[in-house]
Amino acid sequence: MRFFDLLIMSINNLRRRKLRTGLTVLGVVIGTASIVVMVSLGIGLKENTVESYASFGSLTRIQISSGYGNQSEDDYLVDATVTKLAKIPHVKSVSPILETDVNLKQGVYQGYSNIVGMPREELEQIPLAEGKLPNKNAATLEFIVGNMVSDNFYNSKTGKGSWDGEDLSKVDLIHKPFFTMFQNMGNGDETSQKKYLFPACALVDGGENGFSEYGYQIYTDIDLLKTQLKKIYRKNPIPGQPTNKKGKPYNYFVYNMIYVNVDDMEHVTEVQKAITDMGYEAYSSMQWLEQAQQQTDMIQAVLGGIGAVSLFVAAIGIANTMMMSIYERTKEIGVLKVLGCALGDIRTMFLMEAGFIGFMGGVLGLGLSYSVSAAINKFLGASLSGMTGGSGAISRIPLWLSGSAVVFAVLIGMLAGLFPALRAMKLSPLAAIRNE
């Protein structure tokens, strides 16, 4: 018998028993919707967790701190360290970071921050609200100003800052010039500090809530910062840089930290271990993310299991429907066998009926899943995603889940119909024909 003929017979058999078929399909709809919604909640929880950790820094970045106050000269983070770290497998780039504290002044307002010098590839990772990156051929420092730097200002006449309710809206570090004063080598008297006027070329984007890992600092090209510091302090010790036992500065810069950028998230833990084996203190968001992911994987498995129970109950309903269909169509099965219908065709016909029930339930259940998911995101999304620190929808149905849900529903239907189909194959033709 041709496949198309079997398909038509299967559909007609289901249409003859509309109420029973509809109730069975409804069970599959509820089961499919349950498992899809539960899994989508687990996916949303996991992705929100990743987004939360990513907001605090790149997930492929490893940060190596200097801590040179307690280290020997051999352990300092210097250019030779950068070269050594770059040779580790899966390391894409190594970026030295140099920081120096500064005081800032704009009109009657004064503040403080620290300038962070970093290579061009790191500056390119900073999200900008306006402006552009420093000119590659700039002869002087150009600043990317953090969007929260103005919060560190205060009114020099009243001594009040934002913490006292002072209105700092007049502090504009991107459109108005401001003075930069580097730390003194002596007592730190601000009145004797030399004032420098450097242009601000961009403002950091803080996003919807204003938070950014780059928000409270000022960023510039590291090579220009080195040149400026040498020009200011000459042969004198640079504040923040170590000195030898005689109090003399070294003829090289010691970096505050080094960023090691890995080619893929999967290799971060491996590279971090290689760095710690060298004796350096290394930190990455991945080490905390992996622990959080283990918890979210457990939650996702539990949620998926709860949804699977509903689909299992639906499978029992399909098996019951198919068994009842066999009892009602015993004579029909006997006639088919007497006429020479192959046993495999009889089995295929019942499996196709069960699979078609699963398909209809899967498609309708998927549609219901999208509706329930949208309702969850609309009414509960903000509060639930806030618990994980993420900013997106808490229920997420990716394309692969949609396709898998329908395929899974069809397979469950066919598995549920397998036993009834085998029973139909074993019926005796003569006994089936005599059956009333």
Side-chain angles (χ1 to χ4, degrees):
M1 190 176 293
R2 294 181 304 173
F3 177 83
F4 183 75
D5 295 331
L6 291 173
L7 179 62
I8 295 299
M9 289 181 62
S10 300
I11 294 175
N12 289 334
N13 287 328
L14 294 174
R15 291 175 61 185
R16 284 200 298 266
R17 300 166 180 83
K18 293 182 177 64
L19 180 60
R20 183 192 301 168
T21 300
L23 292 174
T24 307
V25 169
L26 180 61
V28 180
V29 169
I30 296 174
T32 302
S34 297
I35 194 170
V36 171
V37 171
M38 291 297 181
V39 173
S40 73
L41 288 172
I43 293 173
L45 177 63
K46 191 170 185 176
E47 292 184 354
N48 268 278
T49 301
V50 173
E51 291 168 2
S52 174
Y53 278 90
S55 67
F56 293 99
S58 171
L59 295 177
T60 57
R61 174 189 293 171
I62 300 173
Q63 178 178 312
I64 304 174
S65 301
S66 174
Y68 51 69
N70 299 319
Q71 292 178 328
S72 66
E73 184 178 347
D74 294 335
D75 297 325
Y76 289 163
L77 301 181
V78 294
D79 289 327
T81 312
V82 175
T83 303
K84 183 167 59 175
L85 293 172
K87 296 179 181 179
I88 299 176
H90 303 298
V91 170
K92 184 171 64 174
S93 64
V94 181
S95 300
I97 306 298
L98 181 64
E99 298 181 2
T100 185
D101 295 329
V102 293
N103 293 312
L104 307 172
K105 182 176 177 61
Q106 187 177 77
V108 298
Y109 298 99
Q110 294 185 7
Y112 61 90
S113 184
N114 66 319
I115 299 177
V116 181
M118 52 177 57
R120 183 79 182 187
E121 63 262 22
E122 290 297 331
L123 293 175
E124 292 174 350
Q125 303 303 314
I126 301 176
L128 303 180
E130 58 178 298
K132 58 183 180 179
L133 293 176
N135 192 324
K136 291 183 179 181
N137 301 317
T140 185
L141 294 180
E142 293 185 4
F143 291 153
I144 299 175
V145 181
N147 60 300
M148 305 297 288
V149 171
S150 59
D151 286 0
N152 294 330
F153 275 69
Y154 64 93
N155 190 318
S156 60
K157 291 184 177 180
T158 63
K160 293 183 178 180
S162 59
W163 50 90
D164 296 316
E166 179 73 17
D167 182 15
L168 298 177
S169 59
K170 294 182 179 180
V171 179
D172 187 350
L173 302 179
I174 185 67
H175 300 112
K176 298 179 181 179
F178 60 92
F179 290 107
T180 302
M181 296 162 285
F182 292 84
Q183 287 187 349
N184 280 344
M185 296 167 286
N187 56 19
D189 181 12
E190 294 182 8
T191 59
S192 64
Q193 287 180 322
K194 186 175 180 179
K195 298 179 177 63
Y196 295 87
L197 197 61
F198 299 114
C201 60
L203 179 70
V204 172
D205 183 11
E208 295 180 0
N209 57 9
F211 173 79
S212 169
E213 62 169 313
Y214 302 99
Y216 287 94
Q217 296 173 307
I218 298 174
Y219 302 87
T220 190
D221 181 88
I222 188 170
D223 292 327
L224 291 176
L225 179 59
K226 288 180 183 179
T227 302
Q228 186 65 44
L229 291 175
K230 288 179 180 179
K231 184 184 298 184
I232 293 173
Y233 296 102
R234 301 180 183 276
K235 295 182 179 181
N236 297 306
I238 299 174
Q241 288 287 304
T243 57
N244 59 26
K245 294 180 180 180
K246 296 181 180 180
K248 300 293 183 179
Y250 294 105
N251 59 356
Y252 52 82
F253 280 94
V254 176
Y255 301 117
N256 298 83
M257 64 186 72
I258 292 179
Y259 291 160
V260 176
N261 297 300
V262 185
D263 57 6
D264 192 272
M265 286 175 54
E266 297 180 356
H267 301 137
V268 171
T269 303
E270 174 188 344
V271 174
Q272 184 173 350
K273 183 179 184 305
I275 293 173
T276 54
D277 289 343
M278 291 180 178
Y280 299 107
E281 295 182 6
Y283 163 83
S284 72
S285 297
M286 277 300 299
Q287 65 190 87
W288 306 111
L289 178 60
E290 288 179 349
Q291 297 179 11
Q293 284 183 324
Q294 290 177 358
Q295 297 176 353
T296 55
D297 286 342
M298 292 178 59
I299 295 174
Q300 187 172 3
V302 171
L303 292 174
I306 294 173
V309 171
S310 300
L311 199 56
F312 177 72
V313 173
I316 295 176
I318 294 175
N320 179 64
T321 296
M322 299 310 300
M323 287 298 297
M324 292 296 295
S325 178
I326 289 173
Y327 288 134
E328 293 173 354
R329 295 157 57 191
T330 301
K331 191 169 185 178
E332 175 187 337
I333 294 171
V335 171
L336 289 173
K337 287 187 174 184
V338 170
L339 293 176
C341 182
L343 296 180
D345 289 341
I346 296 175
R347 178 193 60 204
T348 301
M349 181 176 63
F350 281 95
L351 287 179
M352 290 178 68
E353 290 181 26
F356 198 74
I357 290 175
F359 175 75
M360 290 190 294
V363 172
L364 295 175
L366 184 60
L368 178 61
S369 301
Y370 277 101
S371 300
V372 174
S373 179
I376 291 174
N377 290 331
K378 181 177 181 180
F379 297 106
L380 300 175
S383 58
L384 292 177
S385 62
M387 295 171 60
T388 63
S391 58
I394 191 62
S395 176
R396 306 184 185 187
I397 305 178
L399 186 61
W400 65 263
L401 179 59
S402 301
S404 299
V406 176
V407 173
F408 189 59
V410 172
L411 291 177
I412 287 294
M414 295 181 70
L415 287 174
L418 181 60
F419 177 74
L422 294 176
R423 184 178 180 85
M425 290 173 59
K426 296 178 181 179
L427 285 176
S428 169
L430 296 178
I433 291 175
R434 289 197 299 268
N435 184 68
E436 294 295 334

